[in-house]
Amino acid sequence: MPTITALIAHAPEPQVRALLSRLFTEGGWRVTDGPGTLVVERGSRGKTLLLGGGAGEDFYLRQTLALEPGRHEGEPTTAITYPTSGAAITRGGPYGAEREMRLHEEFSQRIVTVLREADVVVGLA
């Protein structure tokens, strides 16, 4: 079952998207922009299919962040929904699920930190 981090950033969606893209790119993820989404991937699908949890640092993960623009008291906001894929257990067993949860927790904290460092007010949705 996926774990979801839901945040509200008090900043326009393009600003939040740029900050998150940079964060994940610098963290070693491949980032793909989509309408209302930011898809982040890391690792190797092939190694994960062949080796499962034994793929180590090459273990493949793919997560989709939803970015929804809004307004609060006339100011722009962005709702950020960052779920785990929930599929790591099928590819890597308990190791894959643990790895995905650990990275999700790490990047959930890093999202809050990078937004706050950019003077963006952020809180739980």
Side-chain angles (χ1 to χ4, degrees), residues 5 7 82 103-113:
T5 299
L7 303 167
Y82 175 39
L103 282 168
H104 182 268
E105 178 63 29
E106 174 189 337
F107 275 86
S108 292
Q109 294 300 317
R110 290 175 73 178
I111 287 169
V112 171
T113 299

Side-chain angles (χ1 to χ4, degrees), residues 4-11 15-16 19-24 65 67 78 80-82 103-125:
I4 299 172
T5 299
L7 303 167
I8 296 289
H10 291 264
Q15 179 185 0
V16 171
L19 290 166
L20 297 183
S21 291
R22 188 179 76 226
L23 167 69
F24 280 95
L65 291 84
L67 304 175
T78 304
I80 305 164
T81 306
Y82 175 39
L103 282 168
H104 182 268
E105 178 63 29
E106 174 189 337
F107 275 86
S108 292
Q109 294 300 317
R110 290 175 73 178
I111 287 169
V112 171
T113 299
V114 78
L115 291 170
R116 288 184 177 156
E117 287 175 351
D119 295 322
V120 173
V121 175
V122 63
L124 297 175

Side-chain angles (χ1 to χ4, degrees), residues 1 48-49 52-53 59-60 85-97 100:
M1 181 162 181
T48 300
L49 288 172
F59 187 80
Y60 178 75
S85 71
I89 188 92
T90 61
R91 292 189 303 267
Y95 172 81
E100 181 175 30

Side-chain angles (χ1 to χ4, degrees), residues 51-86:
L51 304 172
E57 290 299 313
D58 288 329
F59 187 80
Y60 178 75
L61 290 173
R62 181 180 193 271
Q63 299 171 336
T64 302
L65 291 84
L67 304 175
E68 183 178 334
R71 296 196 85 66
H72 177 73
E73 296 180 358
E75 297 296 319
T77 62
T78 304
I80 305 164
T81 306
Y82 175 39
T84 58
S85 71

